[in-house]
Amino acid sequence: RGYLDNITAIGPRTVGSPENEVLAVNYLLEQIRGIERESTDAHKISVDIQRPTGSFSIDFLGGFTSYYANITNVVVKLEPRSGAEHAVLSNCHFDSVPNTPGASDDAVSCAVMLEILNTLSKSSESLQHAVIFLFNGAEENILQASHGFITQHEWAKSIRAFINLEAAGVGGKELVFQTGPENPWLVQAYVVAAKHPFASVVAQEIFQSGIIPADTDFRIYRDFGNVPGIDLAFIENGYIYHTEYDTSDRILTDSIQRAGDNILAVLKYLATSEKLAKSFEYRHGNVVFFDILGLFVLAYPARVGTIMNYITAAIAFFYLSKKVLQPKPRAVHNLKKLFTAFSLTLTSWVCTLVAVLMVAVFVSIIGRALSWYTHFYVSVSLYGTAAAAKLILVHMLAKKFFYKNMNEQYLGDVFFDASLMIWSIALAVMTQMGLCSAFICTLWVAFPLLTKLMIHKEFSQKGATMKFIVMYMLGMFVPYLYMLYLSWTVFEMFTPVMGRSGSEIPPDMVLAGFIVIFTMILSSYFINFIYLLKSTKTTLVTLTTVFVVTLILVCSGIFFPYSSDATNPKPKRVFLQHTSRRFHDIDGNVVKSDSGIWINGFDYNGISHITPHVPEINDTIRTPCEEQAPFCGLPWILPVHFMFRLVKNWYLPAPEILPRSPIQFKLLSKKLMPRNSVRLSFEVSGPSHMSLYVRPRTGSALSRWSLGDGMPVASLGGDYFVFYSRGLHAAPWLFWVELTAPEKHSDGIVSLAIAAHYFFGEDQKSPQLYALLERFPNWTFSSGWSCTYDLFVF
């Protein structure tokens, strides 16, 4: 905790700032040297300060290219006195996003790594392999420092596996949410060594699907270093992740201790493992892994899971076919009844999904989105009750009109078999798709089938007796308990993400969809009880009443989405950029210029809740798109334009800003190349963060450039985006672009814009920006900085 408090006391640690490049680095070096002095003779400690320069392209956020210069890595190698050929890497980052102390993301991980280094170095027991501790200084700049290390540092060649320590929330348990690729031995290492396991292959498949707009250094080590690893992240309380509230006092000591226990144990295990030296021999095959209530982890090879899944599905299909074919003369009749129940169950799910999504659309249209953001129970009371009521209603109507006068016991049996059939098909399909998450379907086939076989005699002889119900509930206990546990994890991760997922995605529809899916899963083996019970009217009326009351309260606006509660804040995120823009023609003349504060709300609600507090921010100042300019002529720090509609950001006129350290942008040369192409070379000097936007003019095409691997990568929409950052004392940025052009191009061949972002220092905030930020309500996290934007045509 001492390490954590001291790192966060430095303040925001933005790449390029003295806080990040000097103060944080000096603090880390001071602690490392102190640890080195107290280490035992069994170990040798080497320390290196790396300041790499490089470039790479990445398909994250729609695709862009990154360039970094003179950023900082603090690298420590702990190895046996005799040296070591192989190493395991532990990675954290000490930089933070602007305007935040970055306690959980990722100072706490660096604090844990310092303590692990201290513990291992004092041990008299020698390690078999080296442990490399990378304190990287530019992760928030989209994974730049890890790229600089894994592609350029001499120690990187010895790394056979890594552990990446990250955060998507503030404190709590750290979740293993990515492993591999392949290398099942790594998961087994975590299973054997971790003292407090918390891991889920479901989280891995969700994260790697791209649903969550985030990425970690795991990708860099995997894609550029070809090294397998384990990715861990704190996931609790994501509401204050990347905000000013991410302070060290919000991270419980128990949480730090737990992470330290786990990571120390796993690192020690790997550093003494025979498999680390021959990791490529154990590379093949994926792993199914999941923890049981945080007590222990089950892990087994995916190929074993495939066999288990297919066997389970085959047994279920055999059971169903036997049921249908007995007695043989009624086989067609039985089959018809089973498929009718199967179709009715699917129909009820579709009707439920449509009905609940219609409620979510209505809530969004009337401006009450995110009413559940601070009060999660509202989402359950609104969408959960609506889903359950709709399901019950559909089956009540089917029972009353379609299955009139049919035996209730027979109907209960048929609908159980229909649910079993649905889960068996889902199991077979997911297994065929290669999804490790198919193990969930196995639980929902195996346990219900075993339960049915055990209570078949009781049910067929006496019907739905109390004994039957108790035995049924006990048989379903395992899949239901695990699904409730998993749903808690999913909602813990996803609900806060809805507050920072942009203005394009209606969060109520996403959350309502999740709630419907979990309602369908949890109700699948209780649909049969609708047919077994004499009446479900009371349940339906109760659910409908709760839904109607909640909907009325939501429509009235009683549930305010955001909270400034000091103990548990859930702020609205707003970014404000005081911008001065200049648009030049092909002769270099300024044909248009303006200045204003460009405002982006990071959620679906836009600024509707802010307007009463700051009346001049209203719908009359919506941002216009400059159609002739790349990315609408707006100074995006990252290519996240697809997450924000122009109708949901605003441009408040403000005085021109004149940075004390203005950007210098020069065309150095224009050179004709073979195949009718032109190479334009540039030099740029400016602040630590800049964005370059490129759009070839009509008839031209960007064929090559000096960035990344040389092949330009377009962002969503077709324009090209380059993210630049630097540490201290970096040389001017030199780059070239090569375009194929038509013979006649009087209006130019390329539009090229550059934005300079001032994230710290005297140029960060203008007096006008300061004054505006002061007026924002206390339930917002408003992050502001100044920037300039210049568009040129060449």
Side-chain angles (χ1 to χ4, degrees):
R1 177 163 287 286
Y3 294 140
L4 171 61
D5 291 341
N6 290 331
I7 294 171
T8 53
I10 294 169
R13 301 170 302 283
T14 312
V15 171
S17 69
E19 289 80 6
N20 192 69
E21 309 301 325
V22 179
L23 298 180
V25 171
N26 287 347
Y27 175 77
L28 290 169
L29 289 174
E30 182 185 336
Q31 303 311 308
I32 292 162
R33 289 187 185 113
I35 291 168
E36 187 178 7
R37 284 192 295 270
E38 296 180 14
S39 64
T40 65
D41 293 336
H43 309 285
K44 180 170 69 175
I45 295 179
S46 308
V47 185
D48 185 47
I49 307 298
Q50 183 200 23
R51 291 201 163 87
T53 296
S55 181
F56 62 98
S57 295
I58 189 168
D59 60 4
F60 179 53
L61 295 177
F64 67 98
T65 299
S66 184
Y67 184 94
Y68 54 90
N70 220 42
I71 56 176
T72 306
N73 281 323
V74 178
V75 198
V76 185
K77 180 158 72 169
L78 179 75
E79 59 185 332
R81 277 283 166 198
S82 57
E85 183 182 353
H86 308 287
V88 57
L89 172 71
S90 181
N91 176 78
C92 73
H93 67 90
F94 58 86
D95 66 313
S96 70
V97 294
N99 303 314
T100 71
S104 69
D105 190 23
D106 194 31
V108 67
S109 297
C110 291
V112 166
M113 275 175 44
L114 282 171
E115 187 57 36
I116 289 172
L117 173 62
N118 184 40
T119 302
L120 289 175
S121 69
K122 288 180 178 176
S123 171
S124 57
E125 185 182 340
S126 180
L127 300 172
Q128 185 177 339
H129 308 294
V131 180
I132 294 173
F133 297 86
L134 173 58
F135 301 88
N136 94 54
E139 189 271 350
E140 297 297 358
N141 283 11
I142 315 301
L143 321 178
Q144 292 177 333
S146 55
H147 182 270
F149 172 79
I150 203 68
T151 59
Q152 299 178 41
H153 201 282
E154 59 178 343
W155 293 348
K157 300 183 187 75
S158 67
I159 294 169
R160 300 292 173 262
F162 69 88
I163 297 178
N164 183 49
L165 315 181
E166 254 299 344
V170 178
K173 298 194 288 185
E174 77 289 350
L175 171 70
V176 172
F177 66 101
Q178 285 192 101
T179 65
E182 300 188 315
N183 287 274
W185 68 277
L186 265 178
V187 177
Q188 291 296 343
Y190 177 82
V191 170
V192 171
K195 294 185 178 181
H196 317 285
F198 185 37
S200 174
V201 74
V202 179
Q204 173 172 292
E205 292 183 338
I206 289 173
F207 189 83
Q208 292 181 350
S209 71
I211 293 172
I212 299 176
D215 218 329
T216 75
D217 288 321
F218 181 98
R219 172 199 280 257
I220 298 297
Y221 299 131
R222 179 194 67 196
D223 295 353
F224 292 93
N226 198 27
V227 182
I230 299 172
D231 213 359
L232 303 101
F234 295 102
I235 63 165
E236 194 173 286
N237 199 6
Y239 299 98
I240 56 176
Y241 163 79
H242 279 189
T243 73
E244 63 189 342
Y245 300 106
D246 183 11
T247 52
S248 61
D249 59 294
R250 296 184 188 276
I251 302 175
L252 297 177
T253 301
D254 287 351
S255 184
I256 303 171
Q257 184 66 49
R258 176 198 157 87
D261 288 345
N262 280 343
I263 296 155
L264 172 62
V266 176
L267 277 176
K268 280 183 75 172
Y269 184 92
L270 293 174
T272 55
S273 170
E274 296 289 343
K275 291 182 178 178
L276 187 77
K278 306 170 185 175
S279 61
F280 283 94
E281 292 180 17
Y282 304 96
R283 183 179 186 89
H284 302 292
N286 290 314
V287 186
V288 179
F289 60 93
F290 53 95
D291 70 286
I292 305 299
L293 306 178
L295 301 173
F296 60 92
V297 172
L298 284 179
Y300 49 88
R303 61 181 180 275
V304 172
T306 299
I307 295 167
M308 287 168 50
N309 294 349
Y310 280 134
I311 289 173
T312 304
I315 291 171
F317 286 128
F318 175 75
Y319 162 81
L320 290 169
S321 60
K322 198 173 177 185
K323 280 283 294 287
V324 167
L325 294 171
Q326 285 184 348
K328 270 189 179 180
R330 291 180 60 82
V332 175
H333 172 79
N334 291 340
L335 189 63
K336 203 178 286 185
K337 290 296 179 188
L338 177 62
F339 274 100
T340 302
F342 176 85
S343 302
L344 252 174
T345 302
L346 291 182
T347 302
S348 70
W349 287 359
V350 171
C351 290
T352 300
L353 182 62
V354 171
V356 176
L357 288 181
M358 284 173 65
V359 175
V361 169
F362 171 73
V363 168
S364 302
I365 288 172
I366 65 169
R368 298 300 181 199
L370 293 167
S371 296
W372 38 263
Y373 191 65
T374 293
H375 321 277
F376 183 73
Y377 64 86
V378 174
S379 65
V380 178
S381 299
L382 183 65
Y383 301 123
T385 56
K390 185 66 178 180
L391 271 173
I392 292 171
L393 178 63
V394 171
H395 287 285
M396 269 183 66
L397 293 173
K399 181 182 177 182
K400 185 174 182 179
F401 297 107
F402 189 75
Y403 290 117
K404 198 173 184 181
N405 300 324
M406 281 197 70
N407 182 276
E408 290 167 346
Q409 193 172 327
Y410 175 75
L411 287 175
D413 201 40
V414 167
F415 274 92
F416 177 92
D417 291 345
S419 294
L420 183 65
M421 185 175 172
I422 290 170
W423 279 109
S424 302
I425 292 170
L427 173 59
V429 170
M430 289 179 70
T431 305
Q432 181 62 34
M433 291 170 66
L435 294 173
C436 292
S437 301
F439 79 89
I440 295 171
C441 298
T442 303
L443 294 177
W444 286 98
V445 172
F447 281 92
L449 184 55
L450 283 170
T451 303
K452 185 67 184 294
L453 293 173
M454 286 191 300
I455 62 176
H456 174 71
K457 189 176 179 181
E458 171 76 19
F459 182 67
S460 58
Q461 290 178 357
K462 301 176 183 177
T465 62
M466 184 55 69
K467 183 182 176 182
F468 161 78
I469 292 170
V470 170
M471 291 177 69
Y472 190 89
M473 295 291 192
L474 287 173
M476 297 292 182
F477 180 74
V478 171
Y480 272 89
L481 181 64
Y482 183 76
M483 185 52 63
L484 288 169
Y485 175 66
L486 180 65
S487 62
W488 168 82
T489 306
V490 169
F491 285 117
E492 181 84 34
M493 290 175 64
F494 266 96
T495 308
V497 170
M498 294 296 98
R500 58 178 190 268
S501 57
S503 64
E504 288 289 281
I505 303 168
D508 277 65
M509 291 187 69
V510 175
L511 194 73
F514 273 120
I515 289 173
V516 170
I517 289 167
F518 279 107
T519 303
M520 292 189 304
I521 292 170
L522 294 170
S523 67
S524 55
Y525 285 107
F526 280 97
I527 288 172
N528 52 326
F529 278 89
I530 299 172
Y531 295 89
L532 288 171
L533 296 171
K534 293 290 181 187
S535 174
T536 49
K537 273 186 182 178
T538 306
T539 306
L540 181 61
V541 169
T542 303
L543 289 169
T544 304
T545 303
V546 173
F547 163 69
V548 171
V549 170
T550 307
L551 181 61
I552 291 169
L553 292 174
V554 166
C555 293
S556 72
I558 196 170
F559 300 114
F560 190 70
Y562 315 105
S563 170
S564 59
D565 179 8
T567 58
N568 190 22
K570 292 176 180 174
K572 177 181 177 62
R573 299 161 190 259
V574 187
F575 279 15
L576 299 94
Q577 296 170 237
H578 191 166
T579 305
S580 285
R581 301 190 299 174
R582 293 180 299 180
F583 299 82
H584 303 76
D585 63 16
I586 197 167
D587 299 317
N589 302 312
V590 176
V591 292
K592 180 184 175 181
S593 64
D594 61 32
S595 294
I597 297 175
W598 185 42
I599 303 162
N600 276 289
F602 255 53
D603 63 46
Y604 190 77
N605 283 332
I607 47 88
S608 58
H609 294 90
I610 293 172
T611 301
H613 300 267
V614 190
E616 59 267 40
I617 301 177
N618 56 57
D619 288 345
T620 64
I621 58 162
R622 291 192 188 279
T623 312
C625 177
E626 301 293 340
E627 299 289 351
Q628 83 285 3
F631 294 92
C632 279
L634 295 168
W636 296 102
I637 180 64
L638 288 168
V640 292
H641 54 291
F642 61 92
M643 294 170 63
F644 299 88
R645 284 179 292 172
L646 283 176
V647 295
K648 283 207 173 181
N649 54 60
W650 297 263
Y651 197 66
L652 179 67
E656 182 182 3
I657 56 168
L658 298 169
R660 294 168 181 81
S661 306
I663 193 169
Q664 302 293 328
F665 185 82
K666 299 175 188 173
L667 173 65
L668 295 180
S669 66
K670 190 185 299 183
K671 185 178 178 183
L672 289 173
M673 305 296 288
R675 294 185 295 277
N676 202 31
S677 62
V678 180
R679 177 178 291 185
L680 305 174
S681 298
F682 299 93
E683 179 184 292
V684 189
S685 298
S688 63
H689 292 72
M690 293 184 282
S691 305
L692 177 72
Y693 321 90
V694 182
R695 176 186 290 178
R697 308 281 276 192
T698 304
S700 302
L702 183 62
S703 55
R704 295 173 61 221
W705 59 11
S706 59
L707 306 166
D709 62 0
M711 295 302 296
V713 172
S715 293
L716 287 177
D719 294 334
Y720 297 84
F721 188 102
V722 182
F723 177 78
Y724 168 93
S725 80
R726 62 164 176 80
L728 298 175
H729 314 302
W733 180 24
L734 301 172
F735 69 92
W736 54 261
V737 297
E738 202 168 290
L739 299 108
T740 54
E743 288 187 18
K744 293 182 181 180
H745 46 260
S746 57
D747 61 343
I749 61 171
V750 64
S751 295
L752 192 148
I754 186 98
H757 302 273
Y758 298 88
F759 280 127
F760 55 86
E762 55 188 6
D763 287 328
Q764 181 184 3
K765 292 176 185 174
S766 65
Q768 294 79 17
L769 183 56
Y770 262 120
L772 186 63
L773 289 170
E774 285 294 315
R775 295 171 58 197
F776 270 63
N778 59 1
W779 42 261
T780 62
F781 168 65
S782 44
S783 183
W785 69 93
S786 297
C787 60
T788 61
Y789 176 97
D790 286 277
L791 174 73
F792 302 92
V793 180
F794 297 99

